Amino acid sequence: MATTDLPVGLATAPLERLSDVDVSVVIPIIGPAQDLELLADGFSAMFATIGKRHEIMFVDDGSLYFETLLKIKTTHPEVKIVRLTQGFEEQDALSHAFARARGAFIVTMPPYRQVDPSEIVKIIRLLDEGYDCVSG
Protein backbone atom coordinates (compact mmCIF):
# COMPACT_ATOMS: atom_id res chain seq x y z
CA MET A 1 0.00 0.00 0.00
CA ALA A 2 1.35 3.42 -0.94
CA THR A 3 0.88 6.25 1.57
CA THR A 4 2.04 9.82 2.01
CA ASP A 5 1.51 12.66 4.49
CA LEU A 6 0.01 16.06 3.66
CA PRO A 7 -1.19 18.84 5.97
CA VAL A 8 -4.84 18.03 5.21
CA GLY A 9 -7.49 15.68 6.67
CA LEU A 10 -7.64 12.04 5.67
CA ALA A 11 -8.61 10.57 2.33
CA THR A 12 -9.11 7.02 1.26
CA ALA A 13 -10.40 5.14 -1.73
CA PRO A 14 -13.23 2.79 -0.73
CA LEU A 15 -13.03 -0.62 -2.34
CA GLU A 16 -15.32 -1.31 -5.28
CA ARG A 17 -17.37 1.88 -4.90
CA LEU A 18 -19.14 2.57 -8.19
CA SER A 19 -20.37 6.11 -8.40
CA ASP A 20 -21.25 9.16 -10.43
CA VAL A 21 -19.28 11.19 -7.87
CA ASP A 22 -15.49 11.42 -7.91
CA VAL A 23 -14.96 12.87 -4.43
CA SER A 24 -17.09 12.97 -1.28
CA VAL A 25 -16.00 15.64 1.19
CA VAL A 26 -17.22 14.67 4.66
CA ILE A 27 -17.43 17.40 7.30
CA PRO A 28 -18.60 16.30 10.75
CA ILE A 29 -20.13 19.08 12.82
CA ILE A 30 -19.65 17.89 16.37
CA GLY A 31 -18.79 21.20 18.02
CA PRO A 32 -18.23 24.77 16.88
CA ALA A 33 -18.20 25.53 13.18
CA GLN A 34 -17.30 28.67 11.30
CA ASP A 35 -18.62 30.10 8.05
CA LEU A 36 -20.12 26.89 6.69
CA GLU A 37 -21.46 28.75 3.67
CA LEU A 38 -17.99 30.05 2.80
CA LEU A 39 -16.66 26.53 3.26
CA ALA A 40 -19.21 25.14 0.77
CA ASP A 41 -18.46 28.01 -1.66
CA GLY A 42 -14.73 27.28 -1.46
CA PHE A 43 -15.14 23.57 -2.13
CA SER A 44 -17.52 24.14 -5.03
CA ALA A 45 -15.18 26.67 -6.65
CA MET A 46 -12.16 24.41 -6.19
CA PHE A 47 -13.88 21.34 -7.66
CA ALA A 48 -15.09 23.41 -10.63
CA THR A 49 -11.49 24.34 -11.45
CA ILE A 50 -10.25 20.73 -11.42
CA GLY A 51 -13.29 19.21 -13.11
CA LYS A 52 -14.11 16.61 -10.44
CA ARG A 53 -17.69 15.58 -9.67
CA HIS A 54 -18.24 15.93 -5.97
CA GLU A 55 -20.58 15.99 -3.03
CA ILE A 56 -20.13 17.87 0.23
CA MET A 57 -21.57 15.88 3.09
CA PHE A 58 -22.16 17.70 6.36
CA VAL A 59 -22.82 15.41 9.33
CA ASP A 60 -24.91 17.39 11.81
CA ASP A 61 -24.60 15.78 15.21
CA GLY A 62 -27.34 17.72 16.95
CA SER A 63 -25.58 21.04 16.40
CA LEU A 64 -27.14 24.48 16.20
CA TYR A 65 -26.28 24.71 12.50
CA PHE A 66 -29.04 22.63 10.88
CA GLU A 67 -30.98 25.67 9.59
CA THR A 68 -27.74 27.08 8.16
CA LEU A 69 -27.06 23.78 6.39
CA LEU A 70 -30.54 23.77 4.88
CA LYS A 71 -29.94 27.30 3.56
CA ILE A 72 -26.60 26.24 2.06
CA LYS A 73 -28.28 23.27 0.36
CA THR A 74 -30.63 25.61 -1.52
CA THR A 75 -27.68 27.20 -3.35
CA HIS A 76 -25.42 24.14 -3.46
CA PRO A 77 -27.23 21.05 -4.79
CA GLU A 78 -24.06 19.01 -4.21
CA VAL A 79 -24.51 19.44 -0.44
CA LYS A 80 -25.87 16.46 1.44
CA ILE A 81 -26.87 16.59 5.10
CA VAL A 82 -26.71 13.63 7.44
CA ARG A 83 -28.60 14.64 10.56
CA LEU A 84 -28.04 12.52 13.64
CA THR A 85 -30.71 12.58 16.32
CA GLN A 86 -28.41 12.54 19.32
CA GLY A 87 -24.91 13.58 20.23
CA PHE A 88 -22.48 10.98 18.92
CA GLU A 89 -18.71 11.01 18.93
CA GLU A 90 -16.86 12.12 15.81
CA GLN A 91 -15.97 8.53 14.89
CA ASP A 92 -19.66 7.54 14.89
CA ALA A 93 -20.58 10.60 12.83
CA LEU A 94 -17.91 9.73 10.28
CA SER A 95 -19.11 6.12 10.10
CA HIS A 96 -22.63 7.30 9.25
CA ALA A 97 -21.27 9.55 6.53
CA PHE A 98 -18.97 6.92 5.05
CA ALA A 99 -21.92 4.55 4.71
CA ARG A 100 -23.79 7.18 2.67
CA ALA A 101 -20.92 8.72 0.69
CA ARG A 102 -21.07 8.12 -3.06
CA GLY A 103 -17.59 9.30 -4.02
CA ALA A 104 -14.85 7.10 -5.39
CA PHE A 105 -12.65 8.95 -2.87
CA ILE A 106 -13.66 10.23 0.55
CA VAL A 107 -11.94 13.24 2.11
CA THR A 108 -12.64 14.28 5.70
CA MET A 109 -12.33 17.91 6.70
CA PRO A 110 -12.93 19.95 9.87
CA PRO A 111 -15.87 22.39 9.93
CA TYR A 112 -13.92 25.44 11.05
CA ARG A 113 -12.02 26.42 7.88
CA GLN A 114 -8.59 25.56 9.26
CA VAL A 115 -7.69 23.96 5.94
CA ASP A 116 -8.00 25.76 2.62
CA PRO A 117 -10.19 23.73 0.22
CA SER A 118 -7.52 24.05 -2.47
CA GLU A 119 -5.31 21.75 -0.36
CA ILE A 120 -7.61 18.90 -1.40
CA VAL A 121 -6.16 19.17 -4.91
CA LYS A 122 -2.87 17.75 -3.57
CA ILE A 123 -4.71 14.83 -1.99
CA ILE A 124 -6.70 14.09 -5.14
CA ARG A 125 -3.57 14.14 -7.30
CA LEU A 126 -1.89 11.59 -5.06
CA LEU A 127 -4.97 9.36 -4.99
CA ASP A 128 -5.18 9.60 -8.79
CA GLU A 129 -1.52 8.54 -8.91
CA GLY A 130 -2.47 5.31 -7.14
CA TYR A 131 -1.90 5.99 -3.47
CA ASP A 132 -4.35 4.02 -1.32
CA CYS A 133 -4.45 6.48 1.57
CA VAL A 134 -3.29 10.06 2.07
CA SER A 135 -3.27 11.65 5.53
CA GLY A 136 -1.96 14.79 7.11
Side-chain angles (χ1 to χ4, degrees), residues 47-61:
F47 280 112
T49 63
I50 64 171
K52 293 285 187 182
R53 299 164 299 169
H54 69 285
E55 66 182 355
I56 302 167
M57 185 173 293
F58 289 100
V59 185
D60 180 20
D61 191 18

Side-chain angles (χ1 to χ4, degrees), residues 6-134:
L6 285 178
V8 179
L10 170 71
T12 185
L15 298 176
E16 300 181 29
R17 187 181 296 265
L18 301 175
S19 175
D20 61 338
V21 175
D22 298 315
V23 181
S24 293
V25 178
V26 174
I27 304 168
I29 303 175
I30 306 301
Q34 296 175 352
D35 300 321
L36 296 174
E37 193 163 1
L38 289 174
L39 192 63
D41 290 344
F43 284 122
S44 295
M46 182 273 303
F47 280 112
T49 63
I50 64 171
K52 293 285 187 182
R53 299 164 299 169
H54 69 285
E55 66 182 355
I56 302 167
M57 185 173 293
F58 289 100
V59 185
D60 180 20
D61 191 18
S63 77
L64 302 174
Y65 301 101
F66 185 67
E67 295 298 322
T68 301
L69 295 173
L70 290 175
K71 179 183 171 194
I72 293 169
K73 189 168 175 50
T74 64
T75 58
H76 292 281
E78 72 279 11
V79 166
K80 309 295 183 236
I81 303 168
V82 175
R83 188 174 193 197
L84 305 177
T85 57
Q86 65 185 44
F88 287 93
E89 296 295 323
E90 183 173 8
Q91 181 176 345
D92 294 324
L94 290 173
S95 293
H96 283 280
F98 293 166
R100 291 164 178 79
R102 297 180 1 234
F105 299 126
I106 298 174
V107 177
T108 62
M109 298 293 288
Y112 39 83
R113 297 187 59 214
Q114 178 181 354
V115 178
D116 187 314
S118 65
E119 291 292 315
I120 292 177
V121 174
K122 295 174 186 175
I123 287 176
I124 293 170
R125 284 188 187 137
L126 290 168
L127 291 169
D128 283 343
E129 288 175 14
Y131 285 90
D132 298 307
C133 183
V134 181

